[in-house]
Amino acid sequence: MTRCVLQLSKYCLSLALRDGNLQDIVNQGSLHEFLASLHGQFGPVASFWFGGRPVVSLGSVDQLRQHINPNRTTDSFETMLKSLLGYQSGMGGGATEAVMRKKLYESAVNNTLEENFPLLLKLVEELVGKWKSFPKDQHTPLCAHLQGLAMKAVTQLALGDRFRNDAEVIGFRKNHEAIWSEIGKGYLDGSMEKSSIRKEHYESALAEMETVLMSVAKDRKGQRSQTAFVDALLQSNLTERQVMEDSMVFTLAGCVITANLCIWAVHFLSTSEEVQEKLHQELEDVLGSEPVSLDKIPQLRYFQQVLNETVRTAKLTPIAAQLQENEGKVDQHIIPKETLVIYALGVVLQDADTWSHPYKFDPDRFTEDSARKSFSLLGFSGNQACPELRFAYTVATVVLSTVVRQLKLHQVKGQVVEARSELVSTPKDDTWITVSRRS
């Protein structure tokens, strides 16, 4: 088996899940819920079985601090996606190649945000303008609207102006949803392998998406305009296959992470008029009457706290993993070489030993240095944050700044919002708010 982070092929993963604790995972509803139960029963270090493969799960900051390498160059979420998709490129090239590719992706994300920031503002303004036109008592569906925004923003910024055509976005979204629904659920419970219809639907959508991405790369190669994420990849020494695979991972994960960060942030804001007013005041202090700009975003520190707390409270990405390259040790526990080590991030993000009142949405907790350090250790901020999350933070900041400047958000009375925790946590059903104009 290839020695890299979570280097399991689709076949191996589904095969491994047929035995062991599969039924326990299915009974709990998701891998996250299973891990929460497991750590509640056995403490911060626990083990279980994926078929014949032993797995160690770490469920507290102290234990993760002993295991996480702060200098690691591979992104566990990206590698997990590549593994589930059956992609291999860039996953075994050594530390030097990993550092170069990390720098390439960071540069690509920064460049596309700089070049396309006016477009991002326009897309957000269009959505907020639509919300402003609604009557005060009209229910606004967050999932439907913000998934649409994320799909437009990610495709246009990552892949270029071909996706200013609504028909292209609709086709992309159809295939995206078919692929993600299986990656997010089917491979984790092994059920897709038992359904030839589902498997055929997934493979057809994946093949169609790959064809589109190869076509995009071919069309943009040699263009003078270098504004999209894919353009930076094309300027590197990556192969055509690598460019396609990396574009697939960025657009798949970017759409889901961006949409759900925005959905959960707006939902949580609707529950707290106080947080909305603090955000509005920060806009006045930092921007005055000027629109948000890329260079001013780092000065919006309370916005950063709100998004950090959104990620924490929603358990936005509840699972990460590493393959143990050499024998290791956590506390008194020996972890043998090539053991799969799961980081139960969803458990850690709501651990009462790390976070006071862990189920409360409280952005002020991130004024404390200890909270910021724990959050960074888990890979949600600083150098360890994945490119898709950094992209999502920028989009979410534009969304929140535009919304709170013009509108007040209100809860829908009696609504109960429950999370579905897969690779990315999303509301089980659409989430609704009402809006009123800010006077």
Side-chain angles (χ1 to χ4, degrees), residues 141-279:
L142 291 184
C143 293
H145 286 190
L146 291 171
Q147 285 169 358
L149 172 67
M151 201 69 61
K152 287 183 177 180
V154 171
T155 54
Q156 292 182 33
L157 271 65
L159 304 175
D161 53 12
R162 171 172 172 171
F163 287 87
R164 297 191 186 189
N165 182 331
D166 286 345
E168 292 281 359
V169 177
I170 291 169
F172 180 93
R173 183 170 186 170
K174 175 178 69 72
N175 288 323
H176 181 285
E177 289 175 350
I179 296 166
W180 190 264
S181 65
E182 295 299 347
I183 290 176
K185 181 65 175 175
Y187 286 168
L188 291 181
D189 66 11
S191 63
M192 191 187 75
E193 293 296 327
K194 302 172 185 176
S195 170
S196 60
I197 295 175
R198 278 175 57 190
K199 187 173 183 180
E200 182 179 345
H201 182 54
Y202 165 81
E203 290 176 347
S204 174
L206 183 62
E208 190 172 325
M209 182 87 91
E210 289 178 345
T211 299
V212 169
L213 293 174
M214 294 287 276
S215 173
V216 167
K218 182 179 179 180
D219 290 346
R220 295 193 68 83
K221 197 167 187 177
Q223 284 191 6
R224 288 187 178 182
S225 174
Q226 301 294 317
T227 60
F229 176 83
V230 69
D231 295 331
L233 303 186
L234 290 167
Q235 292 299 307
S236 71
N237 60 357
L238 298 179
T239 67
E240 289 183 1
R241 180 74 191 180
Q242 288 174 323
V243 170
M244 184 280 292
E245 292 185 359
D246 290 345
S247 298
M248 176 75 80
V249 169
F250 184 81
T251 52
L252 275 178
C255 287
V256 176
I257 292 175
T258 298
N260 284 288
L261 178 61
C262 292
I263 289 165
W264 286 115
V266 174
H267 164 68
F268 289 135
L269 283 189
S270 73
T271 69
S272 176
E273 184 177 350
E274 179 186 359
V275 173
Q276 292 182 55
E277 292 309 311
K278 284 185 177 181
L279 288 174

Side-chain angles (χ1 to χ4, degrees), residues 4-7 69 71-83 90-91 94 97-99 101-103 105-106 249-250 253-254 257 317 319-323 343 345 378-390:
C4 64
V5 184
L6 195 59
Q7 185 63 18
N69 176 5
N71 299 313
R72 74 180 187 269
T73 54
T74 52
D75 173 65
S76 57
F77 190 86
E78 173 197 321
T79 312
M80 184 160 57
L81 271 185
K82 283 193 172 185
S83 176
M91 298 177 69
E97 181 181 335
V99 169
R101 294 187 76 167
K102 183 177 181 180
K103 289 181 178 179
Y105 300 152
E106 289 174 351
V249 169
F250 184 81
I257 292 175
T317 54
I319 300 165
Q322 298 275 349
L323 192 67
Y343 298 165
L345 300 179
L378 299 178
F380 293 114
S381 65
N383 293 332
Q384 300 302 327
C386 69
E388 296 83 4
L389 186 60
R390 290 198 299 275

